[in-house]
């Protein structure tokens, strides 16, 4: 839905330098359109996430070490005076992801501070928000590259806790938005069901709920198959079982008479959406867990892709 909504504006993505400072971008819009501004900021964020994903690809460090004269301790070169001096351990893996995310976070924090109390496009600072994209891209790139020169020290540990706290808040906000979306979805279909053709909309509502619960059930079975072992993996078994029981409890509570009295539009559709989202979070946590319990995660990913 995101890409379909912004599809008419995709041809304007190359206009990253704004119409005022760049003579080569005459075709660019004025930049006052808030939709275009949001799209380009989303493109910046998507680019940073893509770079972070590339750095997490297994075997990336080994491939970098194959470049002659690039990595410290990697493959040598016959060219005199050219020796590997780059610490490739920092360029890949979770440490590299922390530094890329640090650069992106500092970039957006900087502009959020610059835009404090800007309420209309008539404010002089609004031109900075809606234009100068080339310089913004250069700034984001410079901050992200500069983050790799930060000494190791406590940086990784501190940023780990910062990221963990931010991720917790992000999940809570996402849950609230997801619940609001599910309520709006349920209310829309219930209203259409009451207006006419009730059987069709009732079948659609029931089918969507059943599909969500069916996918969640399949996910739970796959979790027990691929992420647990009979002789161990007690943490994964506990997380899967506890999340499953919590989802069952939330589903039962959504149809209790007292809940229905206070929230007449509450139902199983909202609970099914939260259930399948909880299964996704459970899968994401177990996939990134080091150890033998996630040794078959690549087989699981290939099974999903096939």
């Amino acid at each position: 839905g995101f890409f379909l909504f912004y599809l008419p504006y995709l041809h304007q993505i190359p206009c990253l330098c704004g119409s005022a400072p760049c003579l080569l971008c005459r075709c660019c819009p004025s930049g006052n359109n808030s939709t275009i501004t949001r799209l380009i900021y989303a493109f910046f964020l998507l680019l940073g996430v893509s770079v972070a994903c590339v750095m997490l690809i297994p075997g990336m460090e080994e491939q970098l070490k194959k470049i002659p004269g690039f990595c410290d301790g990697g493959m040598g070169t016959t060219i005199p005076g050219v020796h590997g001096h780059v610490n490739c351990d920092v360029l890949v893996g979770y440490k590299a992801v922390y530094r890329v995310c640090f650069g992106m976070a500092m970039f957006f924090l900087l502009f959020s501070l610059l835009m404090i109390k800007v309420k209309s496009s008539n404010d002089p600072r609004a031109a900075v928000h809606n234009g100068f994209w080339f310089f913004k891209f250069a700034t984001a790139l410079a901050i992200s590259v500069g983050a790799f020169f930060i000494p190791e020290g406590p940086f990784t540990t501190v940023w780990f806790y910062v990221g963990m706290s931010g991720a917790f808040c992000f999940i809570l906000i996402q849950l609230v938005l997801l619940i609001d979306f599910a309520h709006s979805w349920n209310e829309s279909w219930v209203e259409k069901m009451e207006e006419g053709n009730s059987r069709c909309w009732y079948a659609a509502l029931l089918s969507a709920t059943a599909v969500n619960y069916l996918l969640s059930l399949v996910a739970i079975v796959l979790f027990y198959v691929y992420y647990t072992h009979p002789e161990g993996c007690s943490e994964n078994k506990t997380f899967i079982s506890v999340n499953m029981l919590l989802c069952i409890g939330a589903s039962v509570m959504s149809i209790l008479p007292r809940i229905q009295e206070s929230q007449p539009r509450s139902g199983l559709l909202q609970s099914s959406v939260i259930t399948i989202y909880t299964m996704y979070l459970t899968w994401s946590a177990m996939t990134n867990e080091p150890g033998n319990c996630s040794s078959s995660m690549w087989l699981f990913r290939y099974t999903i892709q096939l």
Side-chain angles (χ1 to χ4, degrees), residues 44-148:
F44 277 20
L45 185 60
L46 179 62
L47 185 61
V49 172
S50 301
V51 173
C53 292
V54 170
M55 292 177 174
L56 286 176
I57 295 177
M60 180 61 68
E61 182 178 352
E62 287 73 14
Q63 296 298 324
L64 290 177
K65 287 183 177 181
K66 292 180 181 179
I67 302 176
F70 183 72
C71 291
D72 184 14
M75 182 179 295
T77 177
T78 57
I79 302 177
V82 177
H83 304 285
H85 60 279
V86 178
N87 184 9
C88 291
D89 294 336
V90 182
L91 289 180
V92 293
Y94 71 94
K95 294 182 180 180
V97 173
Y98 286 163
R99 294 173 186 271
V100 171
C101 293
F102 173 80
M104 298 301 298
M106 292 300 102
F107 170 77
F108 285 106
L109 177 62
L110 173 63
F111 279 93
S112 65
L113 294 177
L114 289 175
M115 296 299 115
I116 292 178
K117 294 186 178 181
V118 176
K119 299 181 179 180
S120 68
S121 58
N122 295 326
D123 192 294
R125 288 178 294 170
V128 179
H129 177 70
N130 295 320
F132 303 97
W133 296 109
F134 174 79
F135 300 104
K136 289 180 182 178
F137 180 78
T139 302
L141 182 63
I143 296 176
S144 299
V145 172
F148 283 88

Side-chain angles (χ1 to χ4, degrees), residues 154-286:
F155 172 79
T156 302
T157 303
V158 172
W159 196 244
F160 167 77
Y161 287 107
V162 172
M164 186 169 58
S165 303
F168 176 76
C169 297
F170 173 78
I171 291 176
L172 288 181
I173 296 173
Q174 200 170 36
L175 274 175
V176 172
L177 295 176
L178 195 61
I179 293 173
D180 180 70
F181 162 74
H183 272 285
S184 301
W185 182 9
N186 184 74
E187 288 181 359
S188 175
W189 284 17
V190 169
E191 289 177 358
K192 292 179 180 179
M193 184 174 61
E194 294 174 351
E195 291 175 358
N197 200 2
S198 59
R199 291 185 177 181
C200 178
W201 287 108
Y202 179 79
L205 193 64
L206 183 62
S207 300
T209 305
V211 168
N212 288 336
Y213 277 120
L214 181 61
L215 291 176
S216 301
L217 180 61
V218 171
I220 291 173
V221 173
L222 292 177
F223 292 163
Y224 278 113
V225 172
Y226 289 100
Y227 288 94
T228 61
H229 300 294
E231 64 277 3
C233 302
S234 57
E235 291 184 358
N236 285 0
K237 293 177 183 178
T238 301
F239 282 126
I240 297 172
S241 301
V242 169
N243 288 341
M244 179 183 64
L245 293 176
L246 290 175
C247 291
I248 293 175
S251 301
V252 173
M253 289 179 60
S254 65
I255 57 176
L256 290 177
R258 181 166 296 182
I259 300 296
Q260 290 292 320
E261 290 177 1
S262 58
Q263 295 289 338
R265 297 298 177 89
S266 176
L268 291 176
L269 178 62
Q270 296 93 317
S271 300
S272 67
V273 172
I274 298 301
T275 298
I276 195 170
Y277 177 68
T278 303
M279 294 301 107
Y280 162 73
L281 293 179
T282 306
W283 169 79
S284 178
M286 293 188 300

